[in-house]
Structure formats: structure tokens, C-alpha cells
Amino acid sequence: MPDLGSHGPGRPAAAGDAWWRSAAIYQLYVRSFADGNGDGIGDLVGVRGHLNYLANLGIDAIWFNPWYPSPMSDAGYDISDYRNIDPVFGTLADADALISEAHALGIRIIIDIVPNHGSDQHPWFRAALAAQPGSAERDRFWFRRGRGESGEQPPNGWQSIFGGPAWTRITEPDGTPGEWYLHLFAPEQPDFNWANHSVRAEFEDVLRFWFDRGADGIRIDSAGMLTKDEALPEVEPGQPPGAAHPYSDRDEVHEIYRSWRAVADEYPARVLIGEIWIPDAARLARYVSTGELHTVFNFPYLACPWDAAALREVIDNTLALNAPAGAPATWVLSNHDVDRIVSRYGRADTAFDLQRRRYFHSLPADLDLGTRRARAAALLTLALPGSVYVYQGEELGLWEVQDIPDERRQDPIWCRTNGADPGRDGSRVPLPWAGAKPPFAFSPDAAAAQPWLPQPEGWRSLSVAAETGDPASMLELYRAALQIRRAEPALGDGPMAWQSSPDGVLAFDRGASVRCVVNLSAAPVAMPEHAGVLLASGPLDGPLLPVDCAVWLRNLG
Ligand code: NOJ
Ligand code: CA
């Protein structure tokens, strides 16, 4: 592996072991990035063909959504083999080649591990189904007798996060109706029992498997949910996550991450990143305390409305949360589970909440307004201290596709709620690379199949080819911002200092030399005195910063 500390056009802040403290991480959703073989589904050959695009974009690392063998009941978050690649994506040899090609370009690789649940096709689950109640095979999962005279009721009333009960009844090997198993997500995603030591040993081995192959980091799916109260108490309405919750953010989960950290620390410069949707900053902070995870995703920032006071509060809380452990903050505007930011920011309500997707989709979106705000948000986000995530397509300004025909939708959330929740397909539509009509070079010219989700015709102006070289495009804004972020020692990890500003305006300095000003108020505001404009999210009006516009300024002296 080359010396990743010195790659690219100057990256002092990311150099060496602590690269993750400043990294710009590109979230690559493999199914929708680029299709190399024409079956309408993105794959690793497709990624390898576009690594130069990512290098030119200026990112430091790629986080891959799950690429393992999977029946794809939840787009790969139902894994049947943690040590291989799904044939639809390629082979282990493709992954090895991809990792080394990315490293040669100075790009690190973060992979997604799903420890809360596997697939119902995982050999352990199949063995559990074939074994008897009370067996060692069943103890790796949560099998329980049902309630009621003949066990016909689920063991408790827990609900699946994807809708419906969190328990499914099995048929025993002798053909009789049998035990129930727990799945906090879809029935095809049985939860592992983390009180079982073979589960713990297995996942530590999986970590080593991928670290040995060169993975630089692990994104841990549903990281707060692994441990469960064996008494299976009901979840009280409104019960917050925490020590007393039956499965969300229980204290025991920290023991697991201390062991994972010990494994990661056997290797140089590896990073553990937690996906934890809990609102309590103090409890979130525990995950980055010494000897546990390196960083956690910043969902309060992701969900925050386009509002100066609300953003400032989230930013301050984030920094306060990470400070005691000396962990870097992370910043994320969107991902494969939430609405695309251009649509969100174009609505009358610019917040986001996983539980209220139907409501948000019911609001009309002004995409021009959303795009202006998304551009300003990009400069705000990329100026904040710490590491930052860019979800594929965000750099193109793609919008949420809300009119996917019902029969084309694939998300289990859509299916399990009978359409009450529109689900996440709209943020997962394959990328437009070039051309005037679908598949926009997502698939090769002679492709046999359509993209796995339909692309809007209107994306012709948002393809990589259409935006490249257009100074007004989102892509060129991201390229310029990422380049400046690399070149400016004050950006990335480090201190920030708020500056006084009018109501509705955010202004802060990074070091002595760089100031970021974002105008979320209803009127243009005068920019502070400065020595030069490094980058603006939209046209400036002389000395005025227009509404929904952000600017990076070079400070005087
Ligand atoms: C969080 C992932 O981001 C999401 O896509 C997935 O459906 C759930 N975890 C279950 O694995
Ligand atoms: Ca393919």
C-alpha cells in the first residue's frame, strides 16, 4: 500500500494514522453507482471504471454499502456470507483489485458490517431452523416459544422497524408450528444473539478478515441495537433509548465495541464508525469514549431543518459531545435511508424524520430553492471541523425521486407498510453519468436490462458529463470545495470560532485565515471585510451575500 499520508494535492490534515479525523468520505451505494456488466445493477467492475472520477472529485475515502452475498431482501443489509462478495456485484478478486486500485489513488476503503442481524439464508440461521428448540444453533439467534395456549402469539409485542411484528413463527423440522424468532427489521433479517460468545468471536474474525484484505475502516450498521434484555419486556410508548430500553442503546453494547476496538488497534490506522440513531448527546458520546469507536454518524445534523439557530445549536452540541473523548465530529447531510437534500430543502418543512416520510413527501418541493440551499449547505458542511460524508449523487444535486411507479419499488419499508411509508427507493436511483436519456451511461450501451430503479428524464442536465466543466454546477462546486478543504490547513479537523453576525446568519472562523458565512435569513446581508473570496455557493451581489448563499472568505491580515 502506498503512503496514503502524502497523497493528492496536499492533504496535511489527513496525513498518517489519524486520516479519519479530517476525511471527506464518499458514500458509495454499489447497486446504484455504475453497472459494469449491463444487468441494470451497479457492481464492482463499474466502480473500478470510475475510481478516477472519485479521485478527481477530491474525496479521501469511500464507504461501501454492503457488498456481501445476500438475498437482497433489504438491499444487502441481509447478509448470508460476511466473507465474500455477492455475485451480482462481482467477486472477492474484484474487491481485492478495487481496494488496491483505490489505495494507489490515495483513496481509503470503509466497508459496512451488519452485526445486529444476518440473512435468513445465512448458514447459521438455516442450521438453527434445522435444529431443536434449546439447541446451540438456535442460541445464536432469538428463538422463543410464543405466548398463548399453543404458542400462537408472538413472545412479546415488539414491532419491526420496517413495520409489522418483530417476530416470525417457524415450522419445526417435524412439520409442526414452532418457535418464533426475533427480527427488529424484516423477517429475512433474524437478529443475532450477542450474549452468545460464538457470535462475538465470529464478528471479530470477520473484522480481521477485511482488515487483512486492506479495508481501512468499518461502518457498523444499527450499532446501538446489538444487545437485548433477555426478559423481553415490552417497549413502553415513548420509551427513550438507554440502559432500561429492551434493545436500543443498552449499556452492555459498549463491551462489544471495546473488543472491536482492540481488534482494530492491532492494525495501523483503521477506523470504527457507528451508525446510531439516538437523540441523547450524552449517551451518544459514550460510543466515542476512550477505547471504543472512533466516530459516530451525526444524525441530529442530518435531520436539522434549514434554520440558522437550529443548525448552530446542533453544531455546538456535536462539538460538545465529541470534545471530552477528543473524537472528531462528523457531518452528514443525507444517505441511502433519507430523502435527498435538494428535495428536502425545497419544502416548506426542511427537517427530516424517518417516521414521517409520508408527510414530507406530501409537501411540494421547489427544486431550485432546494438546490440553492443544498449548495450553501455543502459549503457550511465542508467548512465544519472534523470529517464529512458525501452521499453519491449529492455532488450532482440529484433530487428525491418520489414518482417511482409502485410496481417498481423495492424497499421492504414500502412493502411492509403497504405503501403507508414510501420508503427509501427515491434516494437510491442509479446515477446519471452521461447522455440524453436513461440509463444515462449508468449501464453500458448494449445493456440487456433497465436500471433497477427508473431514472427521471430530467436528470439529463445533472449527469456527470453535463456538469463537468460548468462552473455553475453542483459537481464543480463540490470539486472546488473539496480541493480548497484539502489545501487549507485550517479546514478539516481543528478548532472553529463563531463570529458575531446578524440574525439568521452563521459566521465562523477556521483558524485565523478562513471564514465561512451562510445567510439563512430573509434578506441579503453585508459580508464582513475580507482579503478575498475563496468560494461562493452562488453569485454574490457586490458586497452582499444573497439569501440562501454561503461563502468562504480569506480573512484580512
Ligand atoms: C441501517 C441501514 O442504513 C439501512 O439501510 C438498513 O435497512 C438498516 N440499518 C437495517 O440493516
Ligand atoms: Ca451489473
Side-chain angles (χ1 to χ4, degrees):
M1 180 161 145
D3 172 15
L4 290 178
S6 58
H7 74 273
R11 174 69 277 189
D17 280 3
W19 62 273
W20 44 272
R21 297 189 66 92
S22 291
I25 301 167
Y26 188 84
Q27 182 192 347
L28 195 150
Y29 196 75
V30 194
R31 295 183 78 72
S32 299
F33 186 73
D35 169 21
N37 67 351
D39 65 357
I41 301 176
D43 49 48
L44 299 192
V45 167
V47 177
R48 290 171 63 193
H50 291 287
L51 280 177
N52 277 325
Y53 166 75
L54 297 176
N56 291 335
L57 181 58
I59 50 101
D60 302 299
I62 304 171
W63 150 35
F64 282 89
N65 287 96
W67 56 15
Y68 316 96
S70 164
M72 304 287 168
S73 296
D74 182 22
Y77 281 94
D78 48 322
I79 299 169
S80 51
D81 178 359
Y82 286 78
R83 296 180 184 79
N84 211 334
I85 300 292
D86 194 278
V88 88
F89 297 141
T91 63
L92 209 43
D94 290 329
D96 289 341
L98 193 159
I99 292 172
S100 63
E101 287 161 8
H103 283 169
L105 289 167
I107 297 174
R108 289 182 163 87
I109 299 293
I110 297 165
I111 58 165
D112 210 319
I113 297 262
V114 186
N116 180 67
H117 46 271
S119 160
D120 61 352
Q121 300 306 311
H122 189 286
W124 279 11
F125 193 73
R126 295 167 77 111
L129 289 184
Q132 296 304 310
S135 59
E137 287 84 353
R138 290 212 178 162
D139 191 55
R140 290 169 174 152
F141 299 91
W142 288 88
F143 281 90
R144 290 290 184 278
R145 202 188 131 74
R147 289 174 302 177
E149 225 166 88
S150 53
E152 73 284 2
Q153 305 283 335
N156 69 14
W158 293 1
Q159 292 297 296
S160 152
I161 290 153
F162 287 168
W167 297 90
T168 291
R169 193 172 197 187
I170 65 156
T171 303
E172 297 295 346
D174 66 5
T176 58
E179 292 195 311
W180 298 69
Y181 68 90
L182 175 69
H183 49 86
L184 289 179
F185 294 91
E188 297 85 357
Q189 295 168 294
D191 280 46
F192 287 113
N193 172 16
W194 276 85
N196 180 311
H197 282 271
S198 64
V199 171
R200 295 190 183 212
E202 168 69 359
F203 275 92
E204 288 180 21
D205 195 64
V206 167
L207 295 189
R208 288 198 175 86
F209 177 88
W210 288 104
F211 286 148
D212 286 339
R213 297 195 100 82
D216 301 286
I218 307 286
R219 178 262 190 195
I220 307 165
D221 187 71
S222 307
M225 300 173 74
L226 273 48
T227 56
K228 279 117 195 164
D229 184 342
E230 302 221 345
L232 303 179
E234 295 298 341
V235 181
E236 302 304 329
Q239 185 174 352
H245 193 284
Y247 56 77
S248 179
D249 184 34
R250 294 173 58 74
D251 287 347
E252 299 90 317
V253 80
H254 296 282
E255 205 184 289
I256 296 167
Y257 297 130
R258 285 193 287 273
S259 325
W260 282 35
R261 179 60 179 261
V263 174
D265 285 348
E266 290 169 19
Y267 298 79
R270 302 308 208 268
V271 55
L272 299 175
I273 303 158
E275 188 232 6
I276 304 155
W277 286 88
I278 57 172
D280 180 333
R283 290 200 67 85
L284 203 50
R286 298 178 68 202
Y287 289 85
V288 290
S289 62
T290 317
E292 290 195 34
L293 308 182
H294 295 82
T295 64
V296 289
F297 280 98
N298 190 345
F299 293 126
Y301 183 72
L302 176 149
C304 188
W306 184 242
D307 174 87
L311 281 165
R312 181 166 173 157
E313 191 183 334
V314 172
I315 292 166
D316 283 340
N317 287 344
T318 303
L319 297 174
L321 172 167
N322 285 283
T330 69
W331 309 99
V332 56
L333 289 171
S334 74
N335 65 30
H336 65 296
D337 291 328
V338 307
D339 282 7
R340 284 206 175 269
I341 201 78
V342 161
S343 299
R344 260 184 67 186
Y345 285 164
R347 296 174 184 148
D349 185 341
T350 53
F352 189 75
D353 176 348
L354 290 171
Q355 314 307 323
R356 295 195 299 150
R357 208 181 266 110
R358 165 68 59 193
Y359 152 72
F360 289 114
H361 282 215
S362 75
L363 305 172
D366 175 341
L367 297 179
D368 290 335
L369 175 66
T371 301
R372 276 200 302 282
R373 290 176 170 171
R375 294 174 64 89
L379 292 203
L380 167 63
T381 305
L382 291 167
L384 289 169
S387 68
V388 62
Y389 290 84
V390 179
Y391 173 46
Q392 74 178 37
E394 209 171 274
E395 83 279 21
L396 300 174
L398 301 186
W399 63 76
E400 182 76 10
V401 185
Q402 292 182 205
D403 57 358
I404 298 173
D406 290 355
E407 66 280 6
R408 298 286 305 268
R409 289 182 188 271
Q410 314 240 351
D411 187 353
I413 291 185
W414 157 263
C415 306
R416 284 182 63 81
T417 62
N418 295 318
D421 185 328
R424 305 162 291 182
D425 291 322
S427 65
R428 300 174 174 182
V429 173
L431 290 192
W433 287 94
K437 56 180 184 4
F440 295 121
F442 166 71
S443 295
D445 280 350
Q450 295 295 305
W452 69 282
L453 286 173
Q455 300 160 304
E457 297 278 344
W459 280 8
R460 81 175 61 81
S461 57
L462 298 179
S463 74
V464 172
E467 294 196 25
T468 298
D470 174 358
S473 72
M474 188 73 93
L475 180 56
E476 293 301 347
L477 180 74
Y478 265 90
R479 280 192 180 134
L482 288 164
Q483 195 177 42
I484 295 169
R485 190 175 177 276
R486 273 191 171 173
E488 286 293 327
L491 295 176
D493 194 22
M496 71 174 272
W498 291 110
Q499 303 299 311
S500 65
S501 58
D503 267 1
V505 176
L506 297 174
F508 57 93
D509 277 2
R510 298 302 317 279
S513 60
V514 180
R515 180 166 302 179
C516 175
V517 187
V518 192
N519 184 4
L520 297 95
S521 77
V525 292
M527 286 190 281
E529 282 190 56
H530 54 270
V533 173
L534 292 170
L535 190 61
S537 71
L540 299 174
D541 183 5
L544 298 179
L545 181 65
V547 174
D548 292 324
C549 194
V551 70
W552 290 357
L553 299 174
R554 170 72 71 214
N555 280 337
L556 291 170

